[in-house]
Amino acid sequence: MPLPPPPPPPPPPHQPLFLPKPIILPDLLLAVLSVSGLFVGPKNPHPHATPRSHSLCYPPPTNRRFLRPTTTTINNNTAVSQNLDFNRAHNFPTPQSLSDWLKPRLPSDSLSTWGIKPGTKNVHNLWLELADGETSLADTTPPVRNLEVLSIRVIGKNNRVLIESYQELSDRSIRKRGRPLSEKLKTGEDIETAIKRAIREELGSILYQINGSAKDGDFDKMVRIVPNSYEKRVEQRLSLSYPGLPACYVMHIVDAFVDGLPEGEFVTEEETEYGDSDDRIASEAVTVRKHFWKWVSADSESIC
């Protein structure tokens, strides 16, 4: 009898089928867009647009509580916030504390020349500038003195401009100037207010003498700002007042007419440079006693 056929072999074990995870298109696009957003900034809708000039009739107010950075790009918010945080944290209680902080950060022996070298100011002056909100210091090595300066081109007859040729200081030294009337702006001071204050402080003595005006005279009638003459720029240079200390100046430049000034050279006296400051500290500062003025041609190279 024949043998029965062998049973069929058992089927191979079932192999599970592994499929790659499906790619969800929206998720992928979102990931790509998120990464690309790190490298591609928003486009300027007007790539060739130039900053709008400010009319002198409406000059922008300045707020010294927000410091200007120490580069010509004055919209560097990082530099502003760093300087602001630094000045909040460092309140120098005395000129000596400021001197101690400056000494290791300035070139060797430069601080010792302040107030000694003719035409320079001393650490008391810088302390008063900080206390009055006229100046701020960037926490760098060396530190950078940041300030806003108003420059007034006083226009006279025959296309001439008034220039301060030099100053006589309280230590009897002479400080060369060769520039239009200039004054540091105070915290929160708008341009038009600063113009009248600067003219009152530096030219007031001669105006009162010639015009017989009381000190509360109507400066609105004596001072006329030239419309649309406002200009703003940033300058960086070493400070002549404080050797070894770099400075960043935000310059606000305007033209103005001032009635009642002499047509030739003249001298004015500054009554008090630090009238609202600590008298004890102000007495140690180097102050301006006299301003010496002259008229030059508006095209003169001596105007800076």
Side-chain angles (χ1 to χ4, degrees):
M1 180 176 179
L3 295 174
H14 176 69
Q15 297 292 333
L17 183 61
F18 293 98
L19 296 177
K21 182 179 179 181
I23 299 176
I24 301 175
L25 186 58
D27 291 343
L28 178 60
L29 288 176
L30 288 175
V32 172
L33 291 174
S34 298
V35 174
S36 64
L38 297 175
F39 301 95
V40 181
K43 294 184 178 180
N44 185 355
H46 303 290
H48 302 293
T50 56
R52 180 178 298 177
S53 61
H54 298 285
S55 169
L56 186 65
C57 299
Y58 305 97
T62 58
N63 191 335
R64 295 300 308 284
R65 290 172 295 182
F66 296 92
L67 309 178
R68 304 299 187 197
T70 58
T71 67
T72 54
T73 305
I74 63 172
N75 290 324
N76 187 336
N77 293 328
T78 301
V80 172
S81 61
Q82 289 175 348
N83 288 347
L84 185 59
D85 291 340
F86 165 73
N87 282 273
R88 283 173 176 168
H90 290 71
N91 181 18
F92 303 104
T94 64
Q96 184 60 50
S97 65
L98 174 60
S99 178
D100 293 341
W101 182 85
L102 286 169
K103 190 172 182 179
R105 293 169 169 82
L106 291 176
S108 59
D109 298 330
S110 61
L111 185 61
S112 62
T113 66
W114 291 15
I116 304 299
K117 183 179 178 180
T120 63
K121 297 182 178 181
N122 60 31
V123 72
H124 293 78
N125 292 91
L126 184 58
W127 187 91
L128 290 167
E129 290 181 12
L130 292 167
D132 290 345
E134 296 179 342
T135 293
S136 66
L137 291 175
D139 190 9
T140 55
T141 302
V144 178
R145 176 174 168 245
N146 294 274
L147 63 160
E148 298 190 34
V149 177
L150 174 65
S151 178
I152 307 172
R153 288 165 42 100
V154 178
I155 310 299
K157 296 180 180 179
N158 302 319
N159 194 34
R160 297 187 303 169
V161 175
L162 186 65
I163 292 296
E164 184 181 22
S165 52
Y166 60 95
Q167 299 172 341
E168 180 184 310
L169 304 182
S170 56
D171 60 1
R172 303 301 179 186
S173 65
I174 297 298
R175 185 183 183 211
K176 293 183 179 180
R177 298 291 284 170
R179 65 185 65 177
L181 191 158
S182 301
E183 185 70 25
K184 295 182 290 293
L185 268 67
K186 296 183 179 293
T187 301
E189 189 174 33
D190 64 83
I191 300 298
E192 293 187 12
T193 300
I195 290 172
K196 294 174 183 178
R197 176 179 63 83
I199 292 174
R200 191 189 305 271
E201 290 179 359
E202 301 205 3
L203 299 178
S205 63
I206 195 72
L207 291 174
Y208 303 138
Q209 177 183 338
I210 293 178
N211 300 325
S213 302
K215 293 191 176 182
D216 58 353
D218 190 359
F219 265 68
D220 290 337
K221 296 179 180 179
M222 300 174 64
V223 178
R224 291 168 292 138
I225 303 171
V226 178
N228 301 317
S229 66
Y230 176 81
E231 178 188 352
K232 180 178 180 179
R233 65 171 180 251
V234 178
E235 299 178 1
Q236 298 183 80
R237 58 181 182 268
L238 288 176
S239 173
L240 297 179
S241 300
Y242 306 103
L245 183 64
C248 178
Y249 302 88
V250 179
M251 303 294 300
H252 302 270
I253 305 165
V254 296
D255 293 350
F257 295 100
V258 180
D259 295 335
L261 292 174
E263 296 186 10
E265 297 185 7
F266 60 94
V267 180
T268 59
E269 297 183 2
E270 185 148 344
E271 295 182 359
T272 174
E273 190 171 354
Y274 301 107
D276 299 329
S277 303
D278 188 314
D279 291 339
R280 180 178 54 84
I281 296 177
S283 65
E284 299 292 331
V286 179
T287 58
V288 178
R289 292 289 178 85
K290 295 181 179 181
H291 303 268
F292 294 80
W293 306 93
K294 66 179 181 179
W295 297 96
V296 300
S297 169
D299 300 326
S300 173
E301 294 182 356
S302 64
I303 300 177
C304 57

